[in-house]
Amino acid sequence: MMVALCCKVYADGRLGRASAEEIASRSGLSRYQISRGMIELRGKDIIVPVVRKTADGFRKLDRSNYGHVAQYCMTRDVWNDIELDDGK
């Protein structure tokens, strides 16, 4: 699951948005397996929803209009353990 998610990773640890269909085509997993994998990664504190700032200056978890998380990022502990390739 993590390999499929890491096809799009930004320098700050945010995971690029990917639909279940896109993840399924890359990984060969079913929608049920993807859902279960995301729940497992959240439960193990590997990924968390991105925190956004509202127009009023409040911080809230990123949600789509349908109520599900729109974008995830790796937790700080996980991101700190990853060695970044600087292209050299």
Side-chain angles (χ1 to χ4, degrees):
M1 190 65 223
M2 214 42 217
V3 171
L5 290 174
C6 285
C7 287
K8 298 178 181 178
V9 180
Y10 297 101
D12 61 356
R14 285 180 299 129
L15 300 170
R17 292 186 178 115
S19 67
E21 292 82 18
E22 189 178 343
I23 295 171
S25 69
R26 272 193 254 136
S27 66
L29 299 173
S30 70
R31 291 178 65 90
Y32 175 75
Q33 291 170 319
I34 293 167
S35 177
R36 191 175 62 201
M38 295 297 285
I39 291 169
E40 188 175 326
L41 290 172
R42 285 191 311 257
K44 292 182 177 184
D45 290 328
I46 295 173
I47 61 172
V48 293
V50 170
V51 176
R52 300 276 183 210
K53 205 176 224 185
T54 65
D56 299 331
F58 295 105
R59 297 166 52 94
K60 67 174 194 156
L61 299 178
D62 186 27
R63 297 274 180 201
S64 74
N65 292 336
Y66 300 107
H68 64 274
V69 174
Q71 189 172 20
Y72 287 98
C73 64
M74 293 183 211
T75 59
R76 289 181 196 254
D77 293 338
V78 171
W79 190 242
N80 289 335
D81 289 341
I82 295 174
E83 290 183 29
L84 299 178
D85 181 11
D86 59 3
K88 293 180 182 176

Coordinates of all heavy atoms in Angstrom, one line a residue:
M1 N 0.8 -1.2 0.0 CA 0.0 0.0 0.0 C 0.9 1.2 0.0 O 0.6 2.2 -0.7 CB -0.9 -0.1 1.2 CG -2.0 0.9 1.3 SD -3.1 0.7 0.0 CE -3.4 2.3 -0.5
M2 N 1.9 1.3 0.8 CA 2.8 2.4 1.0 C 3.5 2.7 -0.4 O 3.7 3.8 -0.7 CB 3.8 2.2 2.1 CG 4.2 3.3 2.9 SD 2.9 4.5 3.3 CE 3.8 6.0 3.2
V3 N 3.9 1.6 -1.1 CA 4.6 1.8 -2.3 C 3.7 2.5 -3.3 O 4.1 3.4 -4.1 CB 5.1 0.4 -2.9 CG1 5.6 0.6 -4.3 CG2 6.1 -0.1 -2.0
A4 N 2.4 2.1 -3.4 CA 1.5 2.7 -4.3 C 1.2 4.2 -3.9 O 1.1 5.0 -4.8 CB 0.1 2.0 -4.3
L5 N 1.2 4.5 -2.7 CA 1.0 5.9 -2.2 C 2.2 6.8 -2.5 O 2.1 8.0 -2.7 CB 0.7 6.0 -0.7 CG -0.7 5.4 -0.3 CD1 -0.8 5.4 1.2 CD2 -1.8 6.2 -0.9
C6 N 3.4 6.2 -2.4 CA 4.6 7.0 -2.5 C 5.0 7.3 -4.0 O 6.1 7.9 -4.2 CB 5.8 6.2 -1.8 SG 5.6 6.4 0.0
C7 N 4.2 7.0 -4.9 CA 4.5 7.4 -6.3 C 4.4 8.9 -6.4 O 5.0 9.5 -7.3 CB 3.5 6.7 -7.3 SG 3.9 5.0 -7.5
K8 N 3.7 9.5 -5.5 CA 3.5 11.0 -5.5 C 3.8 11.5 -4.1 O 2.9 11.4 -3.2 CB 2.1 11.4 -5.9 CG 1.7 11.0 -7.3 CD 0.3 11.5 -7.5 CE -0.2 11.1 -8.9 NZ -1.6 11.5 -9.0
V9 N 5.0 11.9 -3.8 CA 5.4 12.4 -2.5 C 6.0 13.8 -2.6 O 6.9 14.0 -3.5 CB 6.4 11.5 -1.7 CG1 6.7 12.1 -0.4 CG2 5.8 10.1 -1.6
Y10 N 5.6 14.8 -1.9 CA 6.1 16.1 -1.9 C 7.3 16.2 -0.9 O 7.4 15.4 0.0 CB 5.0 17.2 -1.6 CG 4.0 17.2 -2.7 CD1 2.8 16.5 -2.5 CD2 4.2 17.8 -3.9 CE1 1.8 16.5 -3.4 CE2 3.2 17.8 -4.9 CZ 2.0 17.2 -4.6 OH 1.0 17.1 -5.6
A11 N 8.1 17.2 -1.0 CA 9.2 17.4 -0.1 C 8.9 17.6 1.3 O 9.7 17.4 2.2 CB 10.1 18.6 -0.6
D12 N 7.7 18.0 1.6 CA 7.3 18.1 3.0 C 6.6 16.9 3.6 O 6.1 17.0 4.7 CB 6.4 19.4 3.2 CG 5.1 19.3 2.4 OD1 4.9 18.3 1.7 OD2 4.2 20.2 2.5
G13 N 6.5 15.8 2.9 CA 5.9 14.6 3.4 C 4.5 14.4 3.0 O 3.9 13.3 3.3
R14 N 3.9 15.4 2.3 CA 2.5 15.2 1.8 C 2.5 14.1 0.7 O 3.4 14.1 -0.1 CB 1.9 16.5 1.3 CG 1.5 17.5 2.3 CD 1.0 18.8 1.7 NE 2.0 19.4 0.8 CZ 1.8 19.8 -0.4 NH1 0.6 19.6 -1.0 NH2 2.8 20.3 -1.1
L15 N 1.5 13.3 0.7 CA 1.3 12.3 -0.3 C 0.4 13.0 -1.4 O -0.7 13.5 -1.0 CB 0.6 11.1 0.2 CG 1.5 10.4 1.3 CD1 0.7 9.3 2.0 CD2 2.7 9.8 0.7
G16 N 0.7 12.8 -2.6 CA -0.1 13.4 -3.7 C -1.5 12.7 -3.8 O -1.6 11.5 -3.4
R17 N -2.5 13.4 -4.2 CA -3.8 12.8 -4.3 C -3.9 11.8 -5.3 O -3.4 12.0 -6.5 CB -4.8 13.9 -4.6 CG -5.0 14.9 -3.4 CD -6.1 15.9 -3.7 NE -6.2 16.7 -2.5 CZ -6.0 18.0 -2.5 NH1 -5.6 18.6 -3.6 NH2 -6.1 18.7 -1.4
A18 N -4.4 10.6 -5.0 CA -4.6 9.5 -6.0 C -5.9 8.9 -5.7 O -6.3 8.6 -4.5 CB -3.5 8.5 -5.8
S19 N -6.7 8.6 -6.7 CA -8.0 7.9 -6.5 C -7.8 6.4 -6.3 O -6.7 5.9 -6.5 CB -8.8 8.1 -7.8 OG -8.2 7.4 -8.9
A20 N -8.8 5.8 -5.8 CA -8.7 4.4 -5.5 C -8.5 3.6 -6.8 O -7.7 2.6 -6.8 CB -10.0 3.9 -4.8
E21 N -9.1 4.1 -7.9 CA -8.9 3.5 -9.2 C -7.4 3.6 -9.7 O -6.8 2.6 -10.2 CB -9.8 4.1 -10.3 CG -11.2 3.8 -10.1 CD -11.9 4.7 -9.1 OE1 -11.3 5.8 -8.8 OE2 -13.0 4.4 -8.6
E22 N -6.8 4.7 -9.4 CA -5.4 4.9 -9.8 C -4.5 4.0 -9.0 O -3.6 3.4 -9.5 CB -5.0 6.4 -9.6 CG -3.7 6.8 -10.1 CD -3.4 8.3 -9.9 OE1 -4.3 9.1 -9.7 OE2 -2.2 8.6 -10.0
I23 N -4.7 3.9 -7.7 CA -3.9 3.1 -6.8 C -4.1 1.6 -7.2 O -3.2 0.8 -7.2 CB -4.3 3.3 -5.3 CG1 -3.9 4.7 -4.9 CG2 -3.6 2.3 -4.4 CD1 -4.4 5.1 -3.5
A24 N -5.4 1.3 -7.5 CA -5.7 -0.1 -7.9 C -4.9 -0.5 -9.2 O -4.4 -1.6 -9.3 CB -7.2 -0.3 -8.1
S25 N -4.9 0.4 -10.1 CA -4.2 0.1 -11.4 C -2.7 -0.1 -11.2 O -2.1 -0.9 -11.9 CB -4.5 1.1 -12.5 OG -3.9 2.4 -12.1
R26 N -2.1 0.7 -10.3 CA -0.7 0.6 -10.0 C -0.3 -0.6 -9.2 O 0.7 -1.2 -9.4 CB -0.2 1.9 -9.3 CG 0.2 3.0 -10.2 CD 1.0 4.0 -9.5 NE 0.0 5.2 -9.3 CZ -0.1 5.9 -8.2 NH1 0.5 5.6 -7.2 NH2 -1.0 6.9 -8.2
S27 N -1.2 -0.9 -8.3 CA -0.8 -2.0 -7.3 C -1.5 -3.3 -7.5 O -1.0 -4.3 -7.0 CB -1.2 -1.5 -5.9 OG -2.6 -1.4 -5.8
G28 N -2.6 -3.4 -8.3 CA -3.3 -4.6 -8.4 C -4.2 -5.0 -7.3 O -4.7 -6.1 -7.2
L29 N -4.3 -4.0 -6.3 CA -5.2 -4.3 -5.2 C -6.6 -3.9 -5.5 O -6.9 -3.1 -6.4 CB -4.7 -3.4 -4.0 CG -3.3 -3.6 -3.5 CD1 -2.9 -2.6 -2.4 CD2 -3.2 -5.0 -2.9
S30 N -7.6 -4.5 -4.8 CA -9.0 -4.2 -5.0 C -9.3 -2.9 -4.1 O -8.5 -2.5 -3.3 CB -9.9 -5.3 -4.5 OG -9.8 -5.5 -3.1
R31 N -10.5 -2.3 -4.4 CA -10.9 -1.2 -3.6 C -11.0 -1.5 -2.1 O -10.6 -0.7 -1.2 CB -12.2 -0.6 -4.1 CG -12.1 0.0 -5.5 CD -13.5 0.5 -5.9 NE -14.0 1.5 -5.1 CZ -13.8 2.8 -5.4 NH1 -13.1 3.2 -6.4 NH2 -14.4 3.7 -4.6
Y32 N -11.5 -2.7 -1.8 CA -11.5 -3.2 -0.4 C -10.2 -3.3 0.2 O -10.0 -2.8 1.4 CB -12.3 -4.5 -0.3 CG -12.3 -5.1 1.1 CD1 -13.2 -4.6 2.0 CD2 -11.5 -6.1 1.4 CE1 -13.2 -5.1 3.3 CE2 -11.5 -6.6 2.7 CZ -12.3 -6.1 3.7 OH -12.4 -6.6 4.9
Q33 N -9.2 -3.8 -0.5 CA -7.8 -3.9 0.1 C -7.2 -2.6 0.3 O -6.5 -2.4 1.2 CB -7.0 -4.8 -0.9 CG -7.4 -6.2 -0.9 CD -6.7 -7.0 -2.0 OE1 -6.5 -6.5 -3.1 NE2 -6.2 -8.2 -1.7
I34 N -7.5 -1.6 -0.6 CA -6.9 -0.3 -0.5 C -7.5 0.4 0.7 O -6.8 1.0 1.5 CB -7.2 0.5 -1.8 CG1 -6.5 0.0 -3.0 CG2 -6.9 2.0 -1.6 CD1 -6.9 0.5 -4.3
S35 N -8.8 0.3 0.9 CA -9.5 0.9 2.1 C -8.9 0.3 3.4 O -8.6 1.0 4.3 CB -11.0 0.6 2.0 OG -11.6 1.1 3.1
R36 N -8.8 -1.0 3.4 CA -8.2 -1.7 4.6 C -6.8 -1.3 4.8 O -6.4 -1.0 6.0 CB -8.3 -3.2 4.4 CG -8.0 -3.9 5.7 CD -8.3 -5.4 5.5 NE -7.3 -5.9 4.5 CZ -7.5 -7.1 3.9 NH1 -8.6 -7.8 4.1 NH2 -6.6 -7.5 3.0
G37 N -6.0 -1.1 3.8 CA -4.6 -0.7 3.9 C -4.5 0.7 4.4 O -3.6 1.0 5.2
M38 N -5.4 1.6 3.9 CA -5.4 3.0 4.4 C -5.7 3.1 5.9 O -5.1 3.8 6.7 CB -6.3 3.9 3.6 CG -5.9 4.0 2.2 SD -4.4 4.9 1.9 CE -4.8 6.5 2.3
I39 N -6.7 2.3 6.3 CA -7.1 2.2 7.7 C -5.9 1.7 8.6 O -5.6 2.2 9.7 CB -8.3 1.3 7.9 CG1 -9.6 2.0 7.3 CG2 -8.6 1.0 9.4 CD1 -10.8 1.1 7.2
E40 N -5.2 0.7 8.1 CA -4.1 0.1 8.8 C -2.9 1.1 8.9 O -2.3 1.3 10.0 CB -3.6 -1.1 8.1 CG -2.5 -1.9 8.9 CD -2.2 -3.2 8.2 OE1 -3.1 -3.8 7.6 OE2 -1.0 -3.6 8.3
L41 N -2.6 1.9 7.9 CA -1.6 2.9 7.9 C -1.9 4.0 8.9 O -1.1 4.5 9.6 CB -1.3 3.5 6.5 CG -0.7 2.5 5.5 CD1 -0.6 3.2 4.1 CD2 0.7 2.1 6.0
R42 N -3.2 4.4 8.9 CA -3.6 5.5 9.9 C -3.6 4.9 11.3 O -3.1 5.6 12.2 CB -5.1 5.9 9.6 CG -5.2 6.8 8.4 CD -6.5 7.5 8.3 NE -7.6 6.5 8.4 CZ -8.3 6.1 7.3 NH1 -8.1 6.5 6.1 NH2 -9.3 5.2 7.5
G43 N -4.0 3.7 11.5 CA -4.0 3.1 12.8 C -2.6 2.9 13.4 O -2.4 2.9 14.6
K44 N -1.6 2.7 12.5 CA -0.2 2.6 13.0 C 0.5 3.9 13.0 O 1.7 3.9 13.2 CB 0.5 1.6 12.0 CG 0.0 0.2 12.2 CD 0.8 -0.8 11.3 CE 0.3 -2.2 11.5 NZ 1.0 -3.2 10.8
D45 N -0.2 5.0 12.8 CA 0.4 6.4 12.8 C 1.5 6.5 11.8 O 2.5 7.2 12.1 CB 0.9 6.7 14.2 CG -0.3 6.9 15.2 OD1 -1.4 7.4 14.7 OD2 -0.1 6.7 16.4
I46 N 1.3 6.0 10.7 CA 2.3 6.2 9.6 C 1.8 7.3 8.7 O 2.6 8.1 8.3 CB 2.4 4.9 8.7 CG1 3.0 3.8 9.6 CG2 3.3 5.1 7.5 CD1 3.1 2.4 9.0
I47 N 0.5 7.4 8.5 CA 0.0 8.6 7.7 C -1.1 9.3 8.6 O -1.8 8.6 9.4 CB -0.6 8.2 6.4 CG1 -1.8 7.2 6.5 CG2 0.5 7.6 5.5 CD1 -2.5 6.8 5.2
V48 N -1.3 10.5 8.3 CA -2.3 11.3 9.0 C -2.9 12.3 8.0 O -2.3 12.6 7.0 CB -1.8 12.1 10.2 CG1 -1.4 11.2 11.3 CG2 -0.7 13.0 9.8
P49 N -4.2 12.8 8.2 CA -4.7 13.8 7.3 C -3.9 15.1 7.3 O -3.3 15.5 8.4 CB -6.1 14.1 7.8 CG -6.4 12.9 8.6 CD -5.1 12.4 9.2
V50 N -3.7 15.7 6.2 CA -3.1 17.0 6.1 C -3.9 18.1 6.9 O -5.1 18.0 6.9 CB -2.9 17.5 4.6 CG1 -2.4 18.9 4.5 CG2 -2.0 16.6 3.9
V51 N -3.2 18.9 7.6 CA -3.9 20.0 8.4 C -3.9 21.3 7.5 O -2.8 21.7 7.0 CB -3.2 20.3 9.7 CG1 -3.8 21.4 10.4 CG2 -3.2 19.0 10.6
R52 N -5.1 21.8 7.3 CA -5.2 23.0 6.5 C -5.6 24.2 7.4 O -6.2 24.0 8.5 CB -6.3 22.8 5.5 CG -6.1 21.7 4.5 CD -5.2 22.2 3.4 NE -5.0 21.1 2.4 CZ -4.0 20.9 1.7 NH1 -3.0 21.8 1.8 NH2 -3.9 19.9 0.9
K53 N -5.3 25.4 6.9 CA -5.7 26.6 7.7 C -7.0 27.2 7.0 O -7.0 27.4 5.8 CB -4.6 27.6 7.7 CG -4.6 28.6 8.8 CD -3.4 29.5 8.7 CE -2.8 29.6 10.1 NZ -1.7 30.5 10.2
T54 N -8.0 27.5 7.8 CA -9.2 28.1 7.2 C -9.0 29.6 7.0 O -8.0 30.2 7.5 CB -10.4 27.9 8.2 OG1 -10.2 28.6 9.4 CG2 -10.6 26.4 8.5
A55 N -10.0 30.2 6.4 CA -10.0 31.6 6.1 C -10.0 32.4 7.4 O -9.4 33.5 7.5 CB -11.1 32.1 5.3
D56 N -10.5 31.8 8.5 CA -10.5 32.5 9.8 C -9.3 32.2 10.6 O -9.1 32.7 11.7 CB -11.7 31.9 10.6 CG -13.1 32.2 10.0 OD1 -13.1 33.3 9.2 OD2 -14.0 31.5 10.2
G57 N -8.3 31.5 10.1 CA -7.1 31.2 10.7 C -7.1 30.0 11.6 O -6.1 29.7 12.3
F58 N -8.2 29.2 11.6 CA -8.2 28.0 12.4 C -7.6 26.8 11.6 O -7.6 26.8 10.4 CB -9.7 27.6 12.7 CG -10.3 28.6 13.6 CD1 -11.3 29.5 13.1 CD2 -10.0 28.6 15.0 CE1 -11.9 30.4 13.9 CE2 -10.6 29.6 15.8 CZ -11.6 30.5 15.3
R59 N -7.0 25.9 12.3 CA -6.4 24.7 11.7 C -7.4 23.6 11.8 O -8.1 23.3 12.8 CB -5.2 24.3 12.4 CG -4.1 25.4 12.3 CD -2.9 25.2 13.3 NE -2.4 23.8 13.2 CZ -1.3 23.5 12.5 NH1 -0.7 24.4 11.8 NH2 -0.8 22.3 12.5
K60 N -7.6 22.8 10.7 CA -8.5 21.7 10.6 C -8.0 20.6 9.7 O -7.2 20.9 8.8 CB -10.0 22.1 10.2 CG -10.1 22.6 8.8 CD -11.5 22.8 8.4 CE -11.6 23.0 6.9 NZ -12.9 22.6 6.4
L61 N -8.5 19.4 9.9 CA -8.0 18.3 9.0 C -8.6 18.5 7.6 O -9.8 18.9 7.5 CB -8.4 17.0 9.6 CG -7.9 16.7 11.0 CD1 -8.4 15.3 11.5 CD2 -6.4 16.6 11.0
D62 N -7.9 18.2 6.6 CA -8.3 18.3 5.2 C -9.4 17.3 5.0 O -9.3 16.1 5.2 CB -7.1 18.0 4.3 CG -7.4 18.3 2.9 OD1 -8.3 19.1 2.6 OD2 -6.8 17.7 2.0
R63 N -10.5 17.8 4.5 CA -11.7 16.9 4.2 C -12.2 17.4 2.8 O -12.2 18.5 2.5 CB -12.8 17.1 5.2 CG -12.5 16.7 6.6 CD -12.7 15.2 6.7 NE -12.3 14.8 8.1 CZ -12.0 13.5 8.4 NH1 -12.1 12.6 7.5 NH2 -11.7 13.2 9.6
S64 N -12.8 16.4 2.1 CA -13.4 16.8 0.8 C -14.9 17.1 1.1 O -15.3 17.1 2.2 CB -13.4 15.6 -0.1 OG -14.3 14.6 0.3
N65 N -15.6 17.5 0.1 CA -17.0 17.8 0.2 C -17.8 16.6 0.6 O -18.9 16.7 1.0 CB -17.5 18.4 -1.1 CG -16.9 19.8 -1.4 OD1 -16.5 20.4 -0.5 ND2 -16.9 20.1 -2.7
Y66 N -17.3 15.4 0.4 CA -18.0 14.2 0.7 C -17.7 13.7 2.1 O -18.2 12.6 2.5 CB -17.7 13.1 -0.3 CG -18.1 13.5 -1.7 CD1 -17.1 13.9 -2.6 CD2 -19.4 13.6 -2.1 CE1 -17.5 14.3 -3.9 CE2 -19.8 14.1 -3.3 CZ -18.8 14.4 -4.3 OH -19.2 14.8 -5.5
G67 N -16.8 14.4 2.9 CA -16.5 14.0 4.2 C -15.4 13.1 4.4 O -14.9 12.9 5.6
H68 N -14.8 12.5 3.4 CA -13.6 11.7 3.6 C -12.3 12.6 3.5 O -12.4 13.7 3.0 CB -13.6 10.6 2.6 CG -13.5 11.0 1.2 ND1 -14.6 11.3 0.4 CD2 -12.4 11.2 0.4 CE1 -14.2 11.7 -0.8 NE2 -12.8 11.6 -0.9
V69 N -11.2 12.0 3.9 CA -10.0 12.7 3.9 C -9.5 12.9 2.4 O -9.5 12.0 1.7 CB -8.9 12.0 4.7 CG1 -7.5 12.7 4.5 CG2 -9.3 11.9 6.1
A70 N -9.2 14.2 2.1 CA -8.8 14.5 0.7 C -7.3 14.2 0.5 O -6.9 13.9 -0.6 CB -9.2 15.9 0.4
Q71 N -6.5 14.5 1.5 CA -5.0 14.3 1.3 C -4.4 13.9 2.6 O -4.7 14.4 3.7 CB -4.4 15.6 0.8 CG -3.0 15.5 0.4 CD -2.4 16.7 -0.3 OE1 -3.0 17.8 -0.2 NE2 -1.4 16.5 -1.0
Y72 N -3.4 13.0 2.5 CA -2.7 12.5 3.7 C -1.2 13.0 3.6 O -0.7 13.4 2.5 CB -2.7 11.0 3.7 CG -4.0 10.4 4.1 CD1 -4.9 9.9 3.1 CD2 -4.4 10.3 5.4 CE1 -6.1 9.4 3.5 CE2 -5.6 9.7 5.8 CZ -6.4 9.2 4.8 OH -7.6 8.7 5.2
C73 N -0.6 12.9 4.7 CA 0.9 13.1 4.8 C 1.4 12.1 5.8 O 0.7 11.5 6.6 CB 1.2 14.5 5.2 SG 0.7 15.0 6.9
M74 N 2.7 11.9 5.7 CA 3.4 11.0 6.6 C 3.5 11.7 7.9 O 3.7 12.9 8.0 CB 4.8 10.6 6.1 CG 4.7 9.7 4.9 SD 6.3 9.2 4.4 CE 6.0 9.0 2.6
T75 N 3.5 11.0 9.0 CA 3.7 11.6 10.3 C 5.1 12.1 10.4 O 6.0 11.7 9.7 CB 3.4 10.6 11.5 OG1 4.3 9.5 11.4 CG2 2.0 10.1 11.5
R76 N 5.4 13.1 11.3 CA 6.7 13.6 11.5 C 7.7 12.6 11.8 O 8.9 12.6 11.3 CB 6.7 14.7 12.5 CG 6.0 16.0 12.1 CD 6.0 17.0 13.2 NE 5.1 18.0 13.0 CZ 5.4 19.2 12.6 NH1 6.6 19.6 12.4 NH2 4.4 20.1 12.4
D77 N 7.4 11.6 12.7 CA 8.4 10.6 13.1 C 8.8 9.8 11.8 O 9.9 9.5 11.6 CB 7.8 9.7 14.1 CG 7.6 10.4 15.5 OD1 8.2 11.4 15.7 OD2 6.7 9.9 16.3
V78 N 7.8 9.4 11.0 CA 8.1 8.6 9.8 C 8.9 9.4 8.9 O 9.9 8.9 8.3 CB 6.8 8.1 9.2 CG1 7.1 7.4 7.8 CG2 6.1 7.1 10.1
W79 N 8.5 10.7 8.6 CA 9.2 11.5 7.6 C 10.6 11.8 8.1 O 11.5 11.8 7.2 CB 8.4 12.8 7.4 CG 8.9 13.6 6.3 CD1 9.4 14.9 6.3 CD2 8.9 13.2 4.9 NE1 9.8 15.3 5.1 CE2 9.5 14.3 4.2 CE3 8.6 12.1 4.2 CZ2 9.7 14.3 2.8 CZ3 8.8 12.1 2.8 CH2 9.3 13.2 2.2
N80 N 10.9 12.0 9.4 CA 12.2 12.2 9.9 C 13.1 11.0 9.7 O 14.3 11.1 9.6 CB 12.2 12.6 11.3 CG 11.6 14.0 11.5 OD1 11.7 14.8 10.6 ND2 11.1 14.3 12.7
D81 N 12.5 9.8 9.6 CA 13.3 8.6 9.4 C 13.7 8.3 8.0 O 14.5 7.4 7.7 CB 12.6 7.4 10.0 CG 12.6 7.4 11.5 OD1 13.4 8.1 12.1 OD2 11.7 6.7 12.1
I82 N 13.1 9.1 7.0 CA 13.3 8.8 5.6 C 14.5 9.7 5.1 O 14.6 10.9 5.4 CB 12.1 9.2 4.8 CG1 11.0 8.2 5.2 CG2 12.4 9.1 3.3 CD1 9.6 8.6 4.6
E83 N 15.4 9.0 4.4 CA 16.6 9.8 3.9 C 16.1 10.3 2.5 O 15.7 9.5 1.6 CB 17.8 8.9 3.7 CG 18.4 8.5 5.0 CD 19.6 7.6 4.9 OE1 20.3 7.8 3.8 OE2 19.9 6.8 5.7
L84 N 16.2 11.6 2.3 CA 15.9 12.2 1.0 C 17.0 12.1 0.0 O 18.2 12.3 0.4 CB 15.4 13.6 1.2 CG 14.2 13.9 2.2 CD1 14.0 15.4 2.3 CD2 13.0 13.2 1.6
D85 N 16.6 11.8 -1.2 CA 17.6 11.8 -2.3 C 17.7 13.2 -2.9 O 16.7 13.7 -3.4 CB 17.2 10.8 -3.4 CG 18.2 10.8 -4.5 OD1 19.3 11.3 -4.4 OD2 17.8 10.1 -5.5
D86 N 18.8 13.9 -2.7 CA 18.9 15.3 -3.2 C 19.3 15.4 -4.7 O 19.6 16.4 -5.2 CB 19.9 16.1 -2.3 CG 21.3 15.5 -2.3 OD1 21.5 14.5 -3.0 OD2 22.2 16.0 -1.6
G87 N 19.3 14.2 -5.4 CA 19.6 14.2 -6.8 C 21.1 14.2 -7.1 O 21.5 14.3 -8.3
K88 N 22.0 14.0 -6.2 CA 23.4 14.0 -6.4 C 23.9 12.6 -6.6 O 23.4 11.6 -6.1 CB 24.2 14.6 -5.3 CG 23.9 16.1 -5.2 CD 24.7 16.7 -4.1 CE 24.3 18.2 -4.0 NZ 25.0 18.9 -2.9

